Amino acid sequence: MKKLISGMVVAVMALGGVSYSFAADIVDTAIATGSLKTFVAALKAAGFTEALRSSGPYTVFAPSDEAFAKLPTGTWDALIKDKAKLAQVLAYHVVPGKILVAEVKPGNIKTVQGTTLRLASDNGQVTVNNAKVTQSDVIADNGIIHAIDTVVLPKKEE
């Protein structure tokens, strides 16, 4: 029974503006939030779910459904048709290690995609490039999720 419970999402709740979740990998935790449906669909389309079900730990800056809705017309359709490019964009939202919002240090951090994101923290408001963290510290067994309000796209390498 204990094994069964530890493999399930027991709860996702907000307490004092901080979200907590219990006993699930990053993908299952993202599903449980209810506001990351497009992100989860992108993970599945790109074949990226297994990577985020692995041991990690990872910190994922996951664009909310509203963030994907703000993409310029045609961007989502182009990404969903190009699995390799979609996987690169998703990998750009993932960094190795587990970083709580309170532990964010301003500066650049290397992503699993290979380039860097710019993190900033101003009076508790964390930004990733130009995206604001809108839901923070959603804990998974193998990492942590911070929902962001904008899809951040990797800069083209020259």
Side-chain angles (χ1 to χ4, degrees), residues 38-49 52 60-61 63 68 76 79 83-95 111-113 151-152 154:
T38 309
F39 178 72
V40 172
L43 291 174
K44 290 176 181 177
F48 205 68
T49 55
L52 293 181
V60 179
F61 296 99
F68 278 100
W76 171 250
L79 284 172
K83 275 178 79 163
K85 184 166 180 133
L86 181 58
Q88 288 291 311
V89 169
L90 293 169
Y92 187 60
H93 289 80
V94 180
V95 297
T111 69
V112 298
Q113 183 257 354
V151 177
V152 291

Side-chain angles (χ1 to χ4, degrees), residues 4-7 12 26 38-39 59 62 64 71-72 74 76-77 81 89 91 103 105 107 112 125 134-136 141:
L4 177 65
I5 292 172
S6 71
V12 175
I26 288 172
T38 309
F39 178 72
T59 297
S64 65
L71 282 170
W76 171 250
D77 292 332
K81 290 176 186 170
V89 169
E103 300 168 339
K105 291 180 177 57
V112 298
Q125 177 61 60
T134 57
Q135 183 179 11
S136 61
D141 284 349

Side-chain angles (χ1 to χ4, degrees), residues 3-125:
K3 207 172 182 184
L4 177 65
I5 292 172
S6 71
M8 300 172 66
V9 173
V10 178
V12 175
M13 62 185 200
L15 179 62
V18 178
S19 297
Y20 299 92
S21 66
F22 305 94
D25 63 40
I26 288 172
V27 177
D28 290 336
T29 302
I31 291 167
T33 68
S35 61
L36 301 174
K37 292 180 184 102
T38 309
F39 178 72
V40 172
L43 291 174
K44 290 176 181 177
F48 205 68
T49 55
E50 285 311 307
L52 293 181
R53 289 189 187 278
S54 69
S55 61
Y58 300 107
T59 297
V60 179
F61 296 99
S64 65
D65 293 338
E66 292 80 16
F68 278 100
K70 291 186 336 187
L71 282 170
T73 304
T75 304
W76 171 250
D77 292 332
L79 284 172
I80 204 76
K81 290 176 186 170
D82 186 343
K83 275 178 79 163
K85 184 166 180 133
L86 181 58
Q88 288 291 311
V89 169
L90 293 169
Y92 187 60
H93 289 80
V94 180
V95 297
K98 188 174 178 181
I99 306 167
L100 295 167
V101 161
E103 300 168 339
V104 167
K105 291 180 177 57
N108 291 335
I109 188 164
K110 192 166 188 167
T111 69
V112 298
Q113 183 257 354
T115 58
T116 59
L117 289 170
R118 186 181 66 257
L119 300 180
S121 181
D122 184 23
N123 290 327
Q125 177 61 60

